[in-house]
Amino acid sequence: KNSSFEVTFLLLNTWLSYKENRSKSAIMYLQRSLMPLQRYNHNFTGDVKVLFSHLFALCNNNADNPSPNEIMDYFVRIEMWNGVSLVLDSNPAVVKTIGLDTNAMADLLSTIGRCCSLTTMWEVIRNEQDLLGCV
């Protein structure tokens, strides 16, 4: 990884750690704020462009965008955990498609409880009715 990506990664991951920055409007504001940099020949490296494109894809409904699953896989691969929790907050149904073993769900639910909204926790549990089978 290059230093440009590492700095951008750290700044963006920290920025996403603040609840007020995790809304669609905040992310769209960030996207608009970066446009002048690109216009004035501040060329982002390829991996930085990919990072931002995955983040912004969560807020745009373009058919060319990666799916929420692909975005989450990308954030998991680069270990941007605030990005993972953002995907879960915006698309709780993604949990159903990742094929986790029921035994691993306790750890995931614990993480969701710490990092995501209560609404996300409710949606995940609602979509995983088999977890409540023994209750």
Side-chain angles (χ1 to χ4, degrees), residues 22 58 67-69 71-72 83-100 105 108-109 112-113 115-129 131:
R22 297 170 60 85
L58 287 172
S67 70
N69 289 44
I71 296 169
M72 190 163 91
V84 171
S85 64
L86 178 67
V87 174
L88 291 173
D89 272 338
S90 60
N91 298 282
V94 166
V95 170
K96 192 80 174 157
T97 65
I98 58 178
L100 276 181
M105 285 300 288
L108 179 64
L109 289 174
I112 290 172
C115 302
C116 297
S117 70
L118 187 57
T119 306
T120 299
M121 176 69 92
W122 170 249
E123 286 297 319
V124 169
I125 292 171
R126 200 170 63 92
N127 289 328
E128 294 285 346
Q129 291 293 315
L131 293 175

Side-chain angles (χ1 to χ4, degrees), residues 32-61:
R32 286 189 306 274
S33 299
L34 291 174
M35 284 181 187
L37 292 176
Q38 292 173 318
R39 273 192 223 121
Y40 294 110
N41 257 349
H42 185 286
N43 293 325
F44 293 121
T45 60
D47 47 359
V48 171
K49 286 180 184 176
V50 170
L51 175 61
F52 281 124
S53 70
H54 279 80
L55 175 66
F56 300 146
L58 287 172
C59 301
N60 300 321
N61 294 326

